[in-house]
Amino acid sequence: METTVLSAPPRLGPLYRAAALRRPSGNTLPERELRLDGVRADLAHLAEYNRVCGFRLRDELPATYPHVLAFPLALSLMTAADFPFPLLGLVHVANSIEVLRPLTSSDTFSLSVRAEALRPHARGTQLDVVATATAGAEPVWHGRSTYLRKDGSKSDRSPTTERPEATAVWKVPRRTGTDYAAASGDRNPIHTSRLLARAFGFRSTIAHGMWTKARCLAALEGRLPDAYTVTVAFKLPILLPATVEFAASGGHIAVHDRMTGKPHLTGTIVEPDCADADEGAR
């Protein structure tokens, strides 16, 4: 696989314009990896991200923060001419993060992003966008985001998940979408514009799935090991504003609607000694 080393993070504005204008074609993923060296957390940006997601101010980076730092590389890859799908047609359905050791605000590391594992799905086509953080020659963090390109096929409804006993109730305000968009750079209009969210079939703006995952980890801050894998599936979107229940027990996490009990997120947190070698790879 060819590696392209970037001299600076891609600018998001031109990438979003490219996403709106380009007409993708083809049916294969690019055989390219994008890499950015010399990455280091900006303290003001980190503080804002922590505030939006509920993390405390601390030297250790949240497990979800490298995903945000890798987002411009992922967007550059997914809006390039050789990427086969339009960005706005992709649905983020799952995410797995493997923390091999904690990263801190003083660490300097490299980020690389590639796309792989194009495969059929009952409702269309899936693919993974994989990001890796490396300090020196040592991988320290992996992230795998699974996206679905729907083709209009119908499938059976997902089986109803058991509603676990709540350990916390969260009020999720309407501004969550715009606040997280500003902190993460992910400005998909379904999260920031009620008018455009309705155009995509939602009655209001929806929370980012990665905000929900980050909020879950923030609720467990101080209780997580130094190394672990957290894998989640994004279920029904959180329509803003909302009241949701969070549950964490026995390595399982979940977010459900407070009134209906319908799931928004389900997942697991597994330490290395307990994880199967392939867990979180898909």
Side-chain angles (χ1 to χ4, degrees), residues 156-167:
D156 294 336
R157 290 181 177 270
S158 299
T160 302
T161 59
E162 181 181 352
R163 183 178 183 176
E165 183 177 355
T167 53

Side-chain angles (χ1 to χ4, degrees), residues 26-172:
N27 54 12
T28 60
L29 295 175
E31 288 290 326
R32 290 184 298 108
E33 179 179 76
L34 301 183
R35 194 181 84 214
L36 180 65
D37 298 327
V39 178
R40 191 168 179 171
D42 176 273
L43 295 182
H45 180 257
L46 175 61
E48 180 62 10
Y49 177 85
N50 285 348
R51 181 192 69 79
V52 170
C53 298
F55 293 102
R56 299 192 301 267
L57 292 176
R58 54 192 304 217
D59 187 45
E60 186 176 317
L61 303 184
T64 47
Y65 190 65
H67 173 89
V68 169
L69 298 180
F71 179 73
L73 282 74
L75 195 62
S76 180
L77 189 73
M78 297 167 76
T79 55
D82 57 353
F83 194 79
F85 306 115
L87 186 67
L88 289 179
L90 295 177
V91 181
H92 194 182
V93 294
N95 177 268
S96 180
I97 288 173
E98 182 183 12
V99 179
L100 300 175
R101 74 155 173 85
L103 283 167
T104 70
S105 60
S106 58
D107 281 327
T108 300
F109 50 94
S110 297
L111 281 172
S112 61
V113 171
R114 68 185 187 275
E116 64 181 36
L118 190 67
R119 57 199 184 273
H121 184 270
R123 299 183 65 188
T125 304
Q126 280 190 342
L127 64 102
D128 295 337
V129 175
V130 180
T132 299
T134 305
E138 175 192 6
V140 292
W141 179 96
H142 294 292
R144 181 179 293 268
S145 292
T146 299
Y147 292 93
L148 170 65
R149 169 63 173 173
K150 296 182 181 179
D151 64 4
S153 302
K154 300 288 186 181
S155 65
D156 294 336
R157 290 181 177 270
S158 299
T160 302
T161 59
E162 181 181 352
R163 183 178 183 176
E165 183 177 355
T167 53
V169 176
W170 302 333
K171 296 282 188 181
V172 188

Side-chain angles (χ1 to χ4, degrees), residues 38 55 60-61 75 90 115 150 159 171 174 178 188 194 200 204 206 208-209 211 219 222 228 231 256 261 273 275:
F55 293 102
E60 186 176 317
L61 303 184
L75 195 62
L90 295 177
K150 296 182 181 179
K171 296 282 188 181
R174 190 180 300 278
T178 53
N188 187 322
R194 276 182 280 183
F200 281 89
S204 69
I206 65 174
H208 296 70
W211 174 86
Y228 61 94
T231 302
H256 287 74
D273 291 345

